């Protein structure tokens, strides 16, 4: 998909123009695919800001063996059919060498089949469903962990730190959300705790009062939600409005300050827990880049630095192996890449060798902090 600045906030649009200026002389076109519209557009914006800054910095340092990186944006709105259309345009029209994307696992799964058939090198900064790297796709990588790792961290915290006896599990019926809920449920059951409720809601809904009434009647110690902030926010607010004071716990798809907006204010998100990788903003390797983002008025939260690191990994693979994507994939699986998030290396499936999930908590100011 070509760049459409009218869909973007002004700072991102300006970066788009800067990147497009390199178009005529660039041989390395990299797609950035994710939700740039719709309820999860905040994550697409994080992807774009991170990838754009990485491309700008790499180009300023000489590019990839003297050739510039050009970014091509593809908006899938976290819709699987749209993601497939984006993937086909990336391959057939834009003729990208590599892709950073997608975000929602339900989009990454079908889109990655298109990229795999075309031999495109792909790194997802944020898709965590285990099946993404379990399909023998040689060019598929992640810059994040997996839900079967994230679920274990959540379950252990629920049992060991919160000492919970009764846990209700809710999911959004999506590949990511239900997958994460199932991973957490399995980890709890492995340790002898069976959920008192396991139920789905639908993405896009806002009225969960009937579900909250059912939750309240069970008096759980913890409500675990597999899904994203557009549903997590209203769910936790309606729980509090109905007097359900159970701890609310979720995953890496609520790691945006828009979670507070979706909930209606920090009074509803205070105390909410979530799993996410170790905060990349605290890693010394990224300090100069983080300072650059902040100087421009942008806080590189969430997946911003994951996208930056993904561009770095792709660039290093091409520097090390040339333009052959099969050789570039093999190179990534046998080398460590220095990124803004520290050194990263991958196993034969394309998963990170080291997963760093930890627990965060939201405070009364509407900010999240690593515990």
């Amino acid at each position: 998909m070509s760049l459409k600045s009218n869909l973007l906030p002004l700072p991102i649009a300006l970066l788009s123009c800067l990147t497009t200026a390199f178009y005529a002389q660039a041989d390395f076109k990299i797609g950035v695919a994710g939700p740039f519209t719709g309820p999860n557009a905040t994550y697409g914006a994080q992807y774009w800001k991170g990838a754009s800054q990485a491309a700008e910095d790499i180009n300023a340092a000489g590019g990839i063996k003297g050739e510039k990186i050009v970014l091509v944006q593809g908006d899938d709105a976290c819709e699987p059919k749209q993601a497939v259309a984006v993937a086909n345009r990336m391959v057939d029209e834009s003729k990208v060498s590599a892709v950073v994307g997608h975000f929602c696992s339900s989009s990454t799964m079908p889109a990655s089949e298109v990229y795999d058939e075309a031999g495109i090198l792909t790194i997802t900064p944020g898709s965590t469903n285990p099946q993404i790297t379990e399909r023998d796709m040689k060019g598929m990588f992640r810059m994040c962990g997996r839900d079967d790792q994230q679920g274990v961290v959540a379950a252990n915290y629920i049992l060991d730190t919160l000492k919970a006896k009764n846990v209700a599990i809710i999911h959004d019926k999506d590949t990511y959300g239900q997958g994460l809920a199932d991973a957490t449920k399995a980890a709890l059951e492995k340790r002898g705790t069976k959920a008192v409720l396991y139920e789905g809601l639908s993405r896009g809904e806002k009225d969960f009062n009937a579900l909250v009434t059912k939750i309240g009647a069970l008096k759980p110690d913890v409500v675990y939600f597999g899904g994203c902030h557009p549903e997590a926010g209203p769910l936790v607010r309606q729980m509090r409005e109905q007097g359900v004071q159970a701890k609310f716990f979720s995953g890496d798809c609520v790691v945006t300050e828009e979670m507070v907006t979706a909930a209606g204010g920090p009074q509803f998100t205070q105390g909410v827990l979530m799993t996410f990788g170790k905060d990349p903003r605290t890693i010394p390797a990224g300090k100069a880049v983080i300072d650059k983002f902040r100087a421009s008025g942008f806080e590189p939260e969430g997946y911003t630095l994951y996208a930056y690191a993904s561009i770095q990994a792709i660039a290093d693979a091409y520097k090390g192996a040339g333009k052959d994507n099969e050789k570039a994939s093999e190179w990534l699986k046998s080398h460590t890449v220095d990124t803004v998030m520290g050194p990263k290396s991958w196993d034969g499936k394309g998963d990170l060798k080291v997963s760093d999930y930890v627990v965060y908590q939201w405070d009364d100011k509407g900010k999240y902090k690593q515990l």
Side-chain angles (χ1 to χ4, degrees):
M1 183 178 287
S2 59
L3 299 175
K4 293 186 178 180
S5 59
N6 61 308
L7 296 178
L8 301 170
L10 183 58
I12 301 176
L14 289 174
L15 278 172
S16 305
C17 294
L18 288 172
T19 308
T20 305
F22 294 126
Y23 185 88
Q25 58 183 316
D27 285 335
F28 283 99
K29 293 171 72 176
I30 300 176
V32 180
F36 294 97
T37 57
N40 291 302
T42 186
Y43 302 112
Q46 291 172 7
Y47 271 26
W48 187 252
K49 289 288 270 189
S52 295
Q53 189 63 60
E56 182 179 313
D57 291 346
I58 292 168
N59 286 342
I64 301 173
K65 293 185 175 180
E67 296 178 347
K68 301 293 186 181
I69 297 172
V70 135
L71 300 183
V72 179
Q73 189 182 98
D75 175 22
D76 66 19
C78 270
E79 295 294 339
K81 289 182 179 178
Q82 194 164 323
V84 172
V86 165
N88 282 313
R89 285 196 295 272
M90 290 282 188
V91 171
D92 297 332
E93 296 176 19
S94 301
K95 301 191 183 304
V96 299
S97 297
V99 170
V100 171
H102 294 224
F103 177 70
C104 289
S105 292
S106 55
S107 291
T108 302
M109 288 286 283
S112 60
E113 294 177 6
V114 177
Y115 302 135
D116 181 63
E117 185 177 349
I120 301 297
L121 178 63
T122 308
I123 300 181
T124 173
S127 291
T128 53
N129 187 279
Q131 286 303 309
I132 286 167
T133 47
E134 293 287 346
R135 295 169 296 156
D136 196 29
M137 292 183 174
K138 294 180 179 178
M140 184 76 231
F141 295 81
R142 303 182 213 256
M143 191 58 73
C144 57
R146 297 164 47 124
D147 288 333
D148 47 4
Q149 298 164 333
Q150 187 172 191
V152 169
V153 172
N156 288 343
Y157 193 92
I158 288 168
L159 297 177
D160 297 335
T161 302
L162 300 180
K163 308 295 184 184
K165 303 297 184 186
N166 298 315
V167 182
I169 298 178
I170 311 298
H171 61 81
D172 66 358
K173 304 177 187 176
D174 186 62
T175 302
Y176 160 76
Q178 187 165 357
L180 178 58
D182 287 349
T184 304
K185 178 173 175 283
L188 288 168
E189 289 176 351
K190 190 173 181 179
R191 295 193 54 188
T193 297
K194 187 175 181 180
V196 296
L197 177 67
Y198 175 80
E199 192 158 322
L201 53 80
S202 296
R203 286 171 60 188
E205 288 184 2
K206 299 298 179 189
D207 184 356
F208 305 121
N209 279 296
L211 175 59
V212 170
T213 298
K214 183 183 291 189
I215 293 170
L218 295 169
K219 299 186 177 357
D221 304 307
V222 173
V223 173
Y224 186 86
F225 177 64
C228 296
H229 71 275
E231 290 74 40
L235 177 59
V236 71
R237 182 186 72 245
Q238 290 163 40
M239 282 173 53
R240 300 303 182 240
E241 287 174 342
Q242 284 200 33
V244 179
Q245 296 304 316
K247 278 286 187 181
F248 191 89
F249 205 135
S250 193
D252 59 312
C253 203
V254 304
V255 62
T256 169
E257 291 180 8
E258 288 194 14
M259 171 66 178
V260 181
T261 304
Q267 69 272 30
F268 298 112
T269 55
Q270 182 179 1
V272 166
L273 298 161
M274 66 184 181
T275 45
F276 189 49
K278 180 180 178 182
D279 192 340
R281 294 172 296 181
T282 67
I283 298 172
K287 185 179 186 305
V289 172
I290 293 163
D291 289 346
K292 189 180 296 185
F293 275 119
R294 288 173 172 164
S296 71
F298 180 79
E299 180 59 34
E301 68 162 341
Y303 287 95
T304 306
L305 297 174
Y306 285 72
Y308 191 109
S310 297
I311 295 287
Q312 287 180 302
I314 290 169
D316 275 13
Y318 286 141
K319 289 175 185 176
K323 296 182 180 180
D324 185 310
N325 272 344
E326 186 171 342
K327 290 181 180 178
S329 296
E330 291 172 358
W331 188 94
L332 278 177
K333 290 173 182 177
S334 59
H335 290 78
T336 297
V337 176
D338 291 325
T339 77
V340 288
M341 295 170 56
K344 298 294 180 182
S345 56
W346 295 265
D347 63 19
K349 293 179 181 180
D351 285 316
L352 289 173
K353 289 183 177 179
V354 177
S355 171
D356 60 355
Y357 282 115
V358 293
V359 177
Y360 291 75
Q361 187 169 45
W362 291 81
D363 64 19
D364 59 353
K365 305 285 194 305
K367 304 292 183 182
Y368 57 85
K369 292 183 176 64
Q370 183 176 319
L371 296 179

